[in-house]
Amino acid sequence: MLLRKVQNVVKKYPLMWTSLAYGGLYTASDLTQQSTRQMYVASRTHQAVAYDWTSAKNFGLTGMVLAPVFYGFYKVLDLWLPGRSVRVLLMKVVLDQGCLAPCTLALFFAGKQVYFLFKLFLSLVINSRMNCCFAVSSFTVSVLFAALAEM
Protein backbone atom coordinates (compact mmCIF):
# COMPACT_ATOMS: atom_id res chain seq x y z
CA MET A 1 0.00 0.00 0.00
CA LEU A 2 2.70 2.47 1.00
CA LEU A 3 4.85 1.40 -1.95
CA ARG A 4 2.01 2.23 -4.36
CA LYS A 5 1.62 5.69 -2.81
CA VAL A 6 5.33 6.34 -3.18
CA GLN A 7 5.23 5.14 -6.79
CA ASN A 8 2.29 7.46 -7.51
CA VAL A 9 4.14 10.44 -6.01
CA VAL A 10 7.23 9.60 -8.06
CA LYS A 11 5.16 9.38 -11.25
CA LYS A 12 3.26 12.56 -10.47
CA TYR A 13 6.33 14.67 -9.51
CA PRO A 14 9.34 13.11 -11.24
CA LEU A 15 11.48 16.24 -11.26
CA MET A 16 11.03 16.88 -7.54
CA TRP A 17 11.79 13.24 -6.78
CA THR A 18 14.89 13.34 -9.00
CA SER A 19 16.12 16.50 -7.27
CA LEU A 20 15.66 14.94 -3.83
CA ALA A 21 17.36 11.72 -4.93
CA TYR A 22 20.39 13.50 -6.43
CA GLY A 23 20.64 15.82 -3.43
CA GLY A 24 20.64 12.81 -1.13
CA LEU A 25 23.20 10.95 -3.24
CA TYR A 26 25.55 13.95 -3.39
CA THR A 27 25.24 14.47 0.38
CA ALA A 28 25.88 10.78 1.05
CA SER A 29 28.92 10.78 -1.24
CA ASP A 30 30.43 13.77 0.58
CA LEU A 31 29.78 12.23 4.00
CA THR A 32 31.31 8.95 2.80
CA GLN A 33 34.40 10.80 1.60
CA GLN A 34 34.64 12.64 4.93
CA SER A 35 34.26 9.35 6.85
CA THR A 36 37.07 7.79 4.83
CA ARG A 37 39.26 10.82 5.50
CA GLN A 38 38.40 10.67 9.21
CA MET A 39 39.40 7.01 9.44
CA TYR A 40 42.69 7.78 7.70
CA VAL A 41 43.46 10.79 9.92
CA ALA A 42 42.39 8.93 13.08
CA SER A 43 44.67 6.01 12.24
CA ARG A 44 47.64 8.37 11.76
CA THR A 45 47.12 10.95 14.51
CA HIS A 46 44.72 9.20 16.95
CA GLN A 47 42.51 12.30 16.88
CA ALA A 48 38.85 12.47 16.00
CA VAL A 49 37.89 14.79 13.16
CA ALA A 50 34.41 16.34 13.04
CA TYR A 51 32.16 16.21 10.01
CA ASP A 52 32.01 19.32 7.84
CA TRP A 53 28.25 19.77 7.63
CA THR A 54 28.58 22.92 5.51
CA SER A 55 30.37 20.91 2.85
CA ALA A 56 27.70 18.18 2.99
CA LYS A 57 24.96 20.81 2.68
CA ASN A 58 26.69 22.43 -0.30
CA PHE A 59 27.10 19.08 -2.05
CA GLY A 60 23.44 18.29 -1.44
CA LEU A 61 22.37 21.63 -2.89
CA THR A 62 24.65 21.05 -5.87
CA GLY A 63 22.94 17.71 -6.52
CA MET A 64 19.53 19.31 -6.27
CA VAL A 65 20.51 22.08 -8.69
CA LEU A 66 22.07 19.72 -11.24
CA ALA A 67 19.15 17.24 -11.09
CA PRO A 68 16.95 19.16 -13.59
CA VAL A 69 19.86 19.15 -16.04
CA PHE A 70 20.19 15.37 -15.70
CA TYR A 71 16.45 14.86 -15.88
CA GLY A 72 16.12 16.89 -19.09
CA PHE A 73 19.16 15.28 -20.69
CA TYR A 74 17.91 11.74 -20.02
CA LYS A 75 14.41 12.61 -21.26
CA VAL A 76 15.88 13.91 -24.53
CA LEU A 77 18.18 10.89 -24.74
CA ASP A 78 15.20 8.55 -24.35
CA LEU A 79 13.36 10.39 -27.13
CA TRP A 80 16.35 10.24 -29.51
CA LEU A 81 17.33 6.67 -28.65
CA PRO A 82 14.24 4.69 -27.70
CA GLY A 83 14.59 1.08 -26.65
CA ARG A 84 16.49 -1.03 -24.16
CA SER A 85 18.73 -3.21 -26.31
CA VAL A 86 22.42 -3.55 -25.44
CA ARG A 87 23.41 -1.45 -28.47
CA VAL A 88 21.06 1.40 -27.49
CA LEU A 89 22.18 1.28 -23.87
CA LEU A 90 25.84 1.44 -24.91
CA MET A 91 25.11 4.44 -27.13
CA LYS A 92 23.33 6.15 -24.21
CA VAL A 93 26.27 5.49 -21.91
CA VAL A 94 28.74 6.87 -24.45
CA LEU A 95 26.64 10.00 -24.98
CA ASP A 96 26.18 10.39 -21.23
CA GLN A 97 29.89 10.13 -20.49
CA GLY A 98 30.98 12.05 -23.59
CA CYS A 99 28.49 14.93 -23.47
CA LEU A 100 26.90 15.22 -20.05
CA ALA A 101 29.87 14.40 -17.81
CA PRO A 102 32.13 17.22 -19.11
CA CYS A 103 29.24 19.70 -18.93
CA THR A 104 28.42 18.59 -15.39
CA LEU A 105 32.02 19.03 -14.30
CA ALA A 106 32.12 22.48 -15.88
CA LEU A 107 28.88 23.46 -14.11
CA PHE A 108 30.20 22.10 -10.81
CA PHE A 109 33.46 24.04 -10.94
CA ALA A 110 31.77 27.18 -12.26
CA GLY A 111 29.29 26.95 -9.39
CA LYS A 112 32.11 26.58 -6.88
CA GLN A 113 33.81 29.66 -8.36
CA VAL A 114 30.60 31.70 -8.22
CA TYR A 115 30.09 30.63 -4.59
CA PHE A 116 33.68 31.59 -3.74
CA LEU A 117 33.33 34.98 -5.44
CA PHE A 118 30.02 35.58 -3.65
CA LYS A 119 31.61 34.83 -0.27
CA LEU A 120 34.57 37.07 -1.18
CA PHE A 121 32.22 39.88 -2.20
CA LEU A 122 30.27 39.56 1.05
CA SER A 123 33.45 39.62 3.13
CA LEU A 124 34.66 42.72 1.27
CA VAL A 125 31.33 44.48 1.78
CA ILE A 126 31.23 43.60 5.47
CA ASN A 127 34.88 44.56 5.98
CA SER A 128 34.50 47.84 4.09
CA ARG A 129 31.48 48.74 6.21
CA MET A 130 33.41 47.88 9.34
CA ASN A 131 36.39 49.89 8.12
CA CYS A 132 34.13 52.85 7.33
CA CYS A 133 32.58 52.63 10.80
CA PHE A 134 36.02 52.40 12.34
CA ALA A 135 37.27 55.33 10.26
CA VAL A 136 34.27 57.47 11.22
CA SER A 137 34.55 56.57 14.89
CA SER A 138 38.32 57.12 14.99
CA PHE A 139 37.87 60.47 13.21
CA THR A 140 35.22 61.45 15.76
CA VAL A 141 37.48 60.47 18.65
CA SER A 142 40.44 62.40 17.20
CA VAL A 143 38.27 65.51 16.69
CA LEU A 144 37.02 65.23 20.27
CA PHE A 145 40.56 64.90 21.61
CA ALA A 146 41.67 67.87 19.53
CA ALA A 147 38.76 69.90 20.87
CA LEU A 148 39.56 68.85 24.42
CA ALA A 149 43.25 69.72 23.93
CA GLU A 150 42.36 73.27 22.82
CA MET A 151 40.21 73.88 25.91
Side-chain angles (χ1 to χ4, degrees), residues 59-91:
F59 268 90
L61 289 174
T62 300
M64 291 179 80
V65 168
L66 290 177
V69 175
F70 298 147
Y71 180 79
F73 180 79
Y74 294 131
K75 280 292 187 188
V76 169
L77 205 58
D78 283 339
L79 287 174
W80 286 350
L81 298 170
R84 295 179 184 256
S85 68
V86 173
R87 182 173 180 261
V88 170
L89 289 176
L90 286 175
M91 289 172 59

